[in-house]
Structures are given as structure tokens and as C-alpha cells.
Amino acid sequence: SAPGKMKVMIVLLVPLLVPFVSAQTFRWGPCPTPMVQPNFELNKYLGKWYEIEKLPASFERGKCIEANYMLRPDKTIQVLNVQTYKGKVRAAEGTAVVQDVKEPAKLGVSFSYFTPYAPYWVLSTDYNSMALVYSCTDILRLFHVDFAWILSRTRTLPAETVYHAKEIFSRANIDVSKMFPTDQQGCDVPS
């Protein structure tokens, strides 16, 4: 029967996906569809942002995590992520694009020529102190893997601001209970 075959396929597929999602946050059901920043202005968003808190992500295990966004001549955005991991500074360069000019707050980001653009949605920002970013990928509409970041133009944010940021995510049906702070201590000290 078709439903039976589907169940078998899911049972066979899930173990293959487990390593992929083990360090991420995955949930049953399709992605939520939060509202994004209205009238988003990319030029104001460019520049350096520091990671304050995040949902677990296997590609971000270090401390002093920051992202720098710069416009290239071809109108794509250079994304330079820097983190310190096991005492070494590691950088990863990617590309972000506005996928639909009608929705400029919904960017796509890729760190390899071989990977499709992952969603990078700016849910809320004031451009000069804080930004809330969300990314979600559906897997067969059975479950989804999501990422969420609270970013700041400075290495720290008041606890109250972080609390309000989490409330904004929660109101958009994004579960941020597993969010944890990024270590931004001792980052600007010359080694």
C-alpha cells in the first residue's frame, strides 16, 4: 500500500538524516512562516554583527562569533563569518542574495558553490543595535531544521533586550527554548 511504502521510506530515511540534524534543532511538522522586517533596507543592514544568542548549529561551535556583510560590485552580498575555535580564528566566506525584490528581508545564503541557498530571514532589526534572523528548511514536510540568531552591533546586549527578542521569536511560533548565549568574552584582546 502507498501509505505503508511511505512509512518504510521514512523509517529508512530518518537514520540517514540523524547525523545531519544531531547538532541542530529539528522539530516535527513544516516550517513556521513568520513575518519579516517590513521595508527592509539592505544598505543599512550591511556591516558587522556579533552573535549574542542562537539555536544550536553544528557549524558554529566557537566563541567570538561575528558576521560581516558587504555589497559586491555584482550586487551579491559577501558574508564573512569569523569565530575562534580551539584557540584558532576561523573564517568562512559565503554569498547572500535577495531572492525576490518584493521581499528584500528574505535573503538566501550559501557557503559553497555546491549547496543551495538557505533561507536567511531578517524578522526584525533597528539596523544600529539588534537584528533577529531566522532560517528554516523543511524535510519532506515531515519535520524541519531551524536556526535562529540574536545579533547585535556590539558584543553584548542587555538581558532585557535579549528577553524581548526571544518573545518576538515565540510570538512567531519559533521555539527558542534551546537558545544559548555565544561567548563574546575576551575577544578584542590581542593574543
Side-chain angles (χ1 to χ4, degrees), residues 38-50:
N39 308 312
F40 179 70
E41 293 179 64
L42 179 62
N43 285 338
K44 285 187 179 178
Y45 187 78
L46 298 174
K48 188 178 284 189
W49 289 95
Y50 298 99

Side-chain angles (χ1 to χ4, degrees), residues 151-163:
L151 306 177
S152 173
R153 293 292 193 185
T154 54
R155 289 204 187 268
T156 57
L157 274 178
E160 181 182 329
T161 307
V162 172
Y163 176 82

Side-chain angles (χ1 to χ4, degrees), residues 1-7:
S1 72
K5 282 184 183 162
M6 184 68 178
K7 276 187 188 147

Side-chain angles (χ1 to χ4, degrees), residues 107-119:
L107 299 156
V109 176
S110 176
F111 283 88
S112 158
Y113 291 115
F114 310 107
T115 57
Y117 284 101

